[in-house]
Amino acid sequence: MSSSAVAFEDPGPEHELEFEEEAPRGGVTTARLGALVPLALGVFGLVVSLGLGIGSPSAPGAGLWPFVISLCMIAAAGTALLRAKQDDDVEAFDRGILTVGLSVVSLLVYAGLLPLIGFEIPTVLLLFFWIKVLGKEGWRSAIVVSLVATVAVYGLFVLLLAVPIPHLF
């Protein structure tokens, strides 16, 4: 071997890359459910956005962007629903669906509390729940990130941009 050649040793089995095992496959029903939920949310968002008023291009209303996003959700979910029979790469529902469900429920609770007690307390609680409970992060990071993010969003939207959201301070 020359002096410029480098010898590599086999790292052994303890250094092999770990791969997640393949998730169990779902069927057409799973694919349809996966499309129907965002479709229903898109229709709901569309109805709510129309209630807010979409305005016009020169004077957009509060519901314009929710309307546009809802239309995109409906289009994407409709496409997924139409392709459900051909989609053979669908994972079966597992415990991860519980995390999604808890996220949605906590977001609905947040939306319900916002007009009642303002922005600050529900935002800290929601972020803390997502970081500590759903994200399984440590206490310190959950508390710090929840507080800092709430203060940053408060400073940006309430103080700097003067967005009329319900707030305590």
Side-chain angles (χ1 to χ4, degrees):
M1 199 182 324
S2 69
S3 61
S4 62
V6 178
F8 290 101
E9 292 182 30
D10 182 20
E14 67 273 1
H15 294 294
E16 288 184 19
L17 294 175
E18 293 182 28
F19 294 98
E20 291 183 25
E21 60 184 65
E22 193 165 320
R25 295 282 149 223
V28 175
T29 304
T30 305
R32 286 183 179 150
L33 280 174
L36 285 173
V37 171
L39 181 65
L41 288 172
V43 170
F44 175 75
L46 190 73
V47 170
V48 170
S49 67
L50 289 172
L52 291 171
I54 58 172
S56 67
S58 60
L64 178 63
W65 283 112
F67 179 79
V68 171
I69 292 168
S70 296
L71 284 178
C72 291
M73 282 182 68
I74 291 169
T79 302
L81 189 58
L82 292 174
R83 296 179 44 98
K85 277 191 174 183
Q86 296 95 348
D87 196 356
D88 60 349
D89 191 26
V90 178
E91 291 183 14
F93 291 129
D94 60 4
R95 290 184 54 95
I97 196 72
L98 179 63
T99 302
V100 173
L102 288 171
S103 299
V104 170
V105 168
S106 64
L107 200 54
L108 292 172
V109 170
Y110 174 78
L113 289 175
L114 197 65
L116 299 175
I117 60 174
F119 161 81
E120 299 88 342
I121 295 171
T123 301
V124 169
L125 293 176
L126 177 74
L127 291 174
F128 180 81
F129 177 74
W130 282 3
I131 295 167
K132 177 67 182 142
V133 177
L134 300 180
K136 297 180 176 84
E137 295 294 330
W139 284 95
R140 183 180 305 151
S141 63
I143 292 169
V144 169
V145 170
S146 298
L147 291 173
V148 169
T150 301
V151 168
V153 170
Y154 179 89
L156 175 66
F157 288 103
V158 175
L159 300 177
L160 189 64
L161 298 174
V163 175
I165 57 175
H167 56 89
L168 295 174
F169 307 106

